[in-house]
Amino acid sequence: MSKCHSCLKDTNDSFCTSCRKKLFGGANVNHVLQFTRPEFNEIRFEHSNRLSISGIRVKYSLKLEQKELKLNEEGGQYIIKPVSYGPFRNMESIPANEHLTMAEQVFKINTPPNALMTFGNDEPTYIVKRFDVLNDGRKLLQEDFAQLANKTEENAEGNYKYDLSYEEVAELMKNYIAAYPIEIEKYFSLILFNLSGREW
Ligand SMILES: [Zn+2]
């Protein structure tokens, strides 16, 4: 008996039936990826037009082909986020930490399906299913709150995407979401959840 690599319940496979369905549409995907971390690095550097050394988290797109997850420059249904390299402690635990933080069943928050996988060379990595890509690869259009507030590069300054207060975001939700009373409660829970993880 081992643990499901998504929900951590006991199972005989890499994933329990329910998570296999949610993550991979039922395909019997193994939690060990068919490529190693050095192979991942090579592909990422080949396809990345700018060398990103400043970003804390490295990410790349993954696509499901039959029952195998393959690195894919764009249009993948998943994002893979391995351990980053940098001058920080406990870097190797970041994928597990993100997986736990995104554990729907523990914190009762609404999260996209995600899992803790392993590279072919045993290194851990986190993967998450994209909520803006449908199973057939079609992309859903998204708007962020800066767009809803009509803030653009032209009419707003510097960090305009992140300048709205929690209260201003709530006001926008009131204007644009019909099921506002339900959604505002979820929004408030998320704010509390995020604040509770901080060190003061
Ligand atoms: Zn599961």
Side-chain angles (χ1 to χ4, degrees):
M1 196 65 93
S2 59
K3 300 272 181 215
C4 168
H5 286 255
S6 182
C7 72
L8 305 175
K9 285 185 193 135
D10 287 338
T11 174
N12 287 319
D13 295 302
S14 287
F15 297 94
C16 71
T17 316
S18 155
C19 291
R20 199 187 301 146
K21 206 168 163 198
K22 274 193 271 181
L23 268 161
F24 309 116
N28 193 10
V29 176
N30 196 288
H31 72 281
V32 181
L33 296 164
Q34 298 294 307
F35 45 89
T36 63
R37 177 63 196 266
E39 282 163 349
F40 165 88
N41 290 348
E42 208 148 293
I43 289 178
R44 189 177 160 267
F45 282 121
E46 258 172 43
H47 293 283
S48 160
N49 36 22
R50 61 197 162 95
L51 266 173
S52 158
I53 45 167
S54 56
I56 298 296
R57 295 302 305 278
V58 169
K59 20 177 158 165
Y60 206 78
S61 177
L62 269 186
K63 198 171 188 168
L64 180 63
E65 284 178 17
Q66 269 113 41
K67 49 180 197 163
E68 205 180 304
L69 289 168
K70 293 190 171 167
L71 291 166
N72 186 279
E73 203 176 347
E74 50 189 41
Q77 312 100 310
Y78 308 86
I79 295 170
I80 177 169
K81 296 166 88 179
V83 174
S84 303
Y85 304 126
F88 303 99
R89 261 176 291 170
N90 305 322
M91 296 287 274
E92 69 289 346
S93 306
I94 292 177
N97 182 55
E98 184 156 6
H99 178 234
L100 178 65
T101 309
M102 294 289 277
E104 198 168 41
Q105 71 282 10
V106 178
F107 300 109
K108 312 269 185 269
I109 50 169
N110 191 8
T111 57
N114 61 87
L116 190 60
M117 309 285 279
T118 311
F119 281 108
N121 61 325
D122 259 0
E123 210 183 294
T125 182
Y126 171 79
I127 67 159
V128 60
K129 195 159 191 241
R130 295 182 60 150
F131 56 81
D132 60 335
V133 178
L134 300 173
N135 282 341
D136 62 9
R138 275 181 301 154
K139 241 188 133 188
L140 295 173
L141 286 177
Q142 285 193 89
E143 278 184 313
D144 59 30
F145 278 94
Q147 284 169 296
L148 292 179
N150 288 322
K151 291 192 179 221
T152 63
E153 245 170 77
E154 286 77 37
N155 70 18
E157 306 238 309
N159 217 13
Y160 72 96
K161 274 203 171 187
Y162 307 100
D163 269 353
L164 292 172
S165 67
Y166 290 138
E167 207 174 342
E168 284 166 330
V169 168
E171 282 296 324
L172 286 168
M173 290 177 71
K174 208 172 192 171
N175 296 341
Y176 287 100
I177 303 175
Y180 168 79
I182 298 167
E183 295 306 318
I184 197 76
E185 233 179 272
K186 288 190 207 160
Y187 170 62
F188 185 63
S189 305
L190 273 183
I191 294 172
L192 289 184
F193 175 71
N194 282 323
L195 292 176
S196 67
R198 297 229 177 125
E199 283 179 42
W200 296 98

